Amino acid sequence: MGFEDFESIFGEAKPEWANESRRFLFHFDAIDPSRLRIRVTDFHSSTWEAVRSVEQLEDMRDTVGIGGSWFEFVDYVIASIKSEDVKLVLEENAKSDGAAHAKLVAQKSKGMPLISFSLAKLANSAASEAMMNLSLELFKSYKNMQNLFIKEQECSDRLAKALSAEQGKNESMQGQLELSSRRQKLQKTNTSDKTHIFASLVSSDTFNGLQNSPGITLFGQGKGKGSPVAGY
């Protein structure tokens, strides 16, 4: 039970504070298998952070009231973070300008339990380092997605070429089949014509042979109608 396979998550948190118009980016990542880190920043003057252990998240699960296994709870947290309803609730400090406290609140969907993380404000070098690390992680995530896209594009191109080659083979085979079919039809036609011509020649030769044979009288060639076809 832990965060061994946890993948970094980036997103935008909508600030809920009348005096805040800047946009905030948040980042969830696993420091190690037992700790989850949350950072939120506007890359200007407000940077926040929280670290939660597995034990603290177990307590959160009991408080929120989400049943099921640990992995089901983590899946619910991830789904909530990736939803469109992630808010940064800022609490104004009466003694100074800006917010003194903040909470990142996420909800998987309306009517579902809220996931809330209280954040501590970072200042000076800690804030600068957090912004730098978040920027580097964001760039790393972008490069990973870019490389994945390139690999998928190359795979798609190879599949398209293979499909095109198969289509070419199929078209060639179809053309050969059609040519063979036309040849067979032509051969049948030629054979039929030759048979007809041969039959005509045989019939003509037979008729001429019978006509010229002595002692054979063909019908219609006797002295009178009704003469026998042949007689000896």
Side-chain angles (χ1 to χ4, degrees), residues 11-18 20-28 38-43 45-50 84-92 99-107 115-121:
E12 183 179 358
K14 302 173 184 177
E16 284 198 343
W17 192 26
E20 188 58 69
S21 59
R22 287 189 292 268
R23 302 172 70 176
F24 286 81
L25 182 72
F26 67 79
H27 177 222
F28 280 70
I38 306 100
R39 289 179 293 193
V40 184
T41 183
D42 62 355
F43 293 99
S45 59
S46 295
T47 301
W48 310 83
E49 184 180 77
E84 298 296 326
D85 192 21
V86 180
K87 300 175 182 177
L88 180 64
V89 181
L90 300 167
E91 299 178 6
E92 187 175 1
H101 306 283
K103 289 191 301 182
L104 190 70
V105 181
Q107 189 176 28
I115 300 296
S116 177
F117 297 94
S118 296
L119 305 170
K121 190 169 186 178

Side-chain angles (χ1 to χ4, degrees), residues 19-21 66 69 77 95-97 99 113 115 130 137 159 197-198 211 219 225:
N19 298 327
E20 188 58 69
S21 59
I66 298 177
S69 67
V77 172
K95 296 182 179 180
S96 62
D97 295 333
I115 300 296
E137 289 295 328
L159 290 175
I197 293 171
F198 178 75
Q211 187 179 30
F219 182 82
K225 294 182 179 179

